[in-house]
Each structure stands twice: as structure tokens, then as C-alpha cells.
Amino acid sequence: MRTLFATIDRFATRQPFVIARGTKTDVEVVRVELRQGEILGRGEGTPIYYLGDHALAALAALGQVQAEVEAGATRADLLDLLPAGAARNALDSALWDLEAKASGVRVWQRLGLPQPRPMLTAYTISLGDPATMESEARRVSGRELLKLKLGGEGDLDRVAAVRRVAPHARLIADANQSWTGLDIEALCHGLHALGVELIEQPLPAGADSDLAHLRSPVPLAADESLHDRTSLDSVVGRYRMINVKLDKAGGLTEALALIHAAGQRGLGVMVGCMLSTSLAVAPAFFAAMHAAYADLDGPLLLARDRACPLAFSGSDVHPPEPALWG
């Protein structure tokens, strides 16, 4: 017999985290614990606020399926029991962890993956004026891959300022839906000249048809427009890549299916994360083993992390140890 426990944890950010939609100084996450005898499986999900999700709603959703989960619902059952979101992600992750500990077989082994090694991850620089972003880029100038949060007007100046102090870094950019009314093609060419190799979500979700005939020298990646397999077909022909996040997909189980389906449609994959602790990023690490880009810096953006956290060294994130997850 299983027992399910769920709660809300709050974590402060290391410094204000600024994107085009606003500023965050803390994040609420939902933590799930599944106990089966002496074995404990854990998972974490971050509610995606722009989709209307929030921690109390996720907690309520978990309460509604508690009986089914404690009676033995599987990860496959969760796809019907809960919609994609933080609640399902936390529960799916806890089930993966429980299964690994019960069997003595690590998650990467269950997935047939090679022995995991440290992985290059992007490090995010918050949106700000050019001088502020330049200062932050100078502080982390040794990092190999920087992700720049952009906001519309003045974006070329922002990226140029970062490039001045990080001439050798690889750059990716995230517009967070902020380029409405701008000359997107000109922006893409300008960012290409500055060495940007990927641009996320230039327009609001739902306006993707405006990208169908865009000629961009930089690949565009769908983020807010792409959640799980149900939204995959809507981005084909408009984006060349997708950003897979476990909170959007509703867990590692759906994320892996989404990555496979994207590959069949010729789409490249980036695996990202929300503001979250190492407990949430651990399962995303294994999804990112299938991806061209990993953006798994969530724990680095928080003032504190879980016990037995992921190790970060240089520009790399290390695979999780069993004491953390999986």
C-alpha cells in the first residue's frame, strides 16, 4: 500500500529574476512524496503561472487523485487522471523515483540510456538594460552557454552589450513572446550577426501563424506555444525546435514521448526548466540527454537548494545522485 503526501515549498531567488512578463523574487513549488513500505519516492513541480496554474490548485488536484494513486495508479494512468502541469509532473517524478528505488535500477538504466556524464547547461541572464546585462555577463563570463532574456525594443543593444564582455560564449536568446509589432526578420538577422544560435518564442502563443513564412538565419524554438504532444502539430512549419519542460508536459513520461514525436516531425529539442530546485531538475537531466540544448540552471537561480543537490561545475550540471532522485 502506498501513501501520498504533498505540500508547498517556497524558495527565494538569488536575485530578482526578470523576464518580459515580469519579475520574480521567489517561487512556490509542489513537493510530492510517495511512500511504499520503507521506500520513499519524491518529485517536484513548479506551477506555470501564465497558464493559470498555481500551487494551491496543484495541491488540490493531487488530493483529488490521492485514492487512485495510493491504490496503485501507474505513470501511464496519470496521463488520464491529471492534466499536464505541475501536479502531474511532481507525481510522475515521484513514481519514477519510487520505481527506481524499489527495483534497485537507476532511471537512466530503465530508459536504456548510456552512463550519464556532466552536461553543458545554459546559464540565464535576466532581462535588463544593456549595462545591467553586460555587468551580469561579465560576472559569469567564463560560462560557455548564456541564455539572454529579451524584451522587445532595444534587444540588439542588450545582446551586443553581453557579446562585448563574453566574446567567446555561445548565446541563445529568449524573447518570451515580446516581439509583437517589431520587424522580427530584421531582429533575427541582427542577432545572427552577434552569434546568437537559437531564439525562443518571439511572438505570443496563438500568433505563431505569423512565423510561417519568416526567413530567419537563426532557428526559432517554441516554448509557450508548445506544452505536450497535443500542441505539437501546431508548431510544425513555424518553428525548427521546441523547448520541452517537464512542468508543461506534465512529467518525464510525457516529456520523453513528446521528444520522440518531435524527432519524427524533424524538430530539434531543447530541454528547459522553470525556477525550481534540484529535485525538479533531476528528471529533466535524463530528458536532456536526448536534446541539442539543456537549460537546467533553475537551482543556480535560487538562494538555497534541496539537500543532496545537483552538482554544478564550470558550465556543466552533473547527473543526480541516488540520494536526490532516480
Side-chain angles (χ1 to χ4, degrees):
M1 179 70 177
R2 296 179 191 153
T3 57
L4 168 65
F5 170 79
T7 191
I8 297 169
D9 298 327
R10 182 187 294 270
F11 292 84
T13 59
R14 187 177 298 275
Q15 57 191 23
F17 183 72
V18 187
I19 66 172
R21 287 190 298 270
T23 301
K24 293 186 76 67
T25 56
D26 59 61
V27 61
E28 287 190 330
V29 302
V30 175
R31 172 169 49 93
V32 165
E33 295 183 353
L34 278 178
R35 185 173 293 279
Q36 188 170 299
E38 297 300 314
I39 303 170
L40 180 68
R42 302 188 304 153
E44 176 186 308
T46 301
I48 300 179
Y49 61 95
Y50 63 80
L51 295 178
D53 198 6
H54 56 86
L56 287 175
L59 206 60
L62 289 165
Q64 290 170 0
V65 299
Q66 181 169 355
E68 290 92 335
V69 171
E70 292 185 338
T74 65
R75 289 182 287 104
D77 293 331
L78 295 187
L79 299 178
D80 295 320
L81 287 173
L82 286 168
R88 196 174 80 191
N89 179 28
L91 189 49
D92 179 83
S93 296
L95 280 169
W96 276 105
D97 191 33
L98 186 71
E99 292 164 10
K101 289 173 178 173
S103 66
V105 180
R106 298 296 308 279
V107 167
W108 64 268
Q109 294 171 308
R110 295 171 66 85
L111 292 172
L113 293 170
Q115 174 79 44
R117 297 283 184 257
M119 177 187 301
L120 175 67
T121 178
Y123 182 84
T124 303
I125 294 181
S126 286
L127 175 65
D129 58 55
T132 300
M133 294 183 72
E134 178 179 345
S135 176
E136 177 64 6
R138 182 182 293 109
R139 186 183 71 82
V140 298
S141 61
R143 291 192 175 272
E144 296 177 34
L145 181 62
L146 298 177
K147 177 174 176 174
L148 312 182
K149 291 291 189 179
L150 302 182
E153 294 290 347
D155 280 345
L156 290 179
D157 293 334
R158 293 182 174 99
V159 177
V162 169
R163 179 54 83 197
R164 282 194 295 272
V165 295
H168 305 298
R170 296 170 60 194
L171 302 181
I172 56 180
D174 186 359
N176 280 122
Q177 311 181 83
S178 66
W179 285 3
T180 299
L182 302 180
D183 187 338
I184 295 175
E185 194 161 312
L187 275 170
C188 290
H189 280 275
L191 292 180
H192 180 255
L194 290 166
V196 172
E197 54 190 74
L198 180 71
I199 300 169
E200 289 185 64
Q201 198 72 37
L203 292 176
D208 310 287
S209 60
D210 292 345
L211 303 173
H213 303 293
L214 182 74
R215 292 176 295 179
S216 172
V218 183
L220 303 182
D223 184 1
E224 287 89 346
S225 292
L226 185 283
H227 304 131
D228 55 15
R229 283 175 291 173
T230 64
S231 50
L232 185 58
D233 287 339
S234 67
V235 305
V236 174
R238 296 163 180 176
Y239 295 91
R240 288 156 59 184
M241 299 192 70
I242 61 171
N243 186 346
V244 176
K245 294 177 181 172
L246 270 59
D247 284 306
K248 291 191 300 177
L252 179 61
T253 302
E254 173 63 19
L256 292 171
L258 173 58
I259 290 168
H260 177 72
Q264 291 182 319
R265 289 162 173 79
L267 292 167
V269 172
M270 171 183 189
V271 171
C273 64
M274 304 295 289
L275 282 174
S276 54
T277 76
S278 287
L279 181 58
V281 174
F285 183 99
F286 299 116
M289 290 178 71
H290 300 274
Y293 293 90
D295 178 21
L296 303 179
D297 64 342
L300 296 177
L301 305 176
L302 301 179
R304 65 180 178 90
D305 200 355
R306 303 282 186 188
C308 306
L310 290 171
F312 290 84
S313 60
S315 299
D316 293 342
V317 56
H318 291 247
E321 296 293 335
L324 173 65
W325 188 86

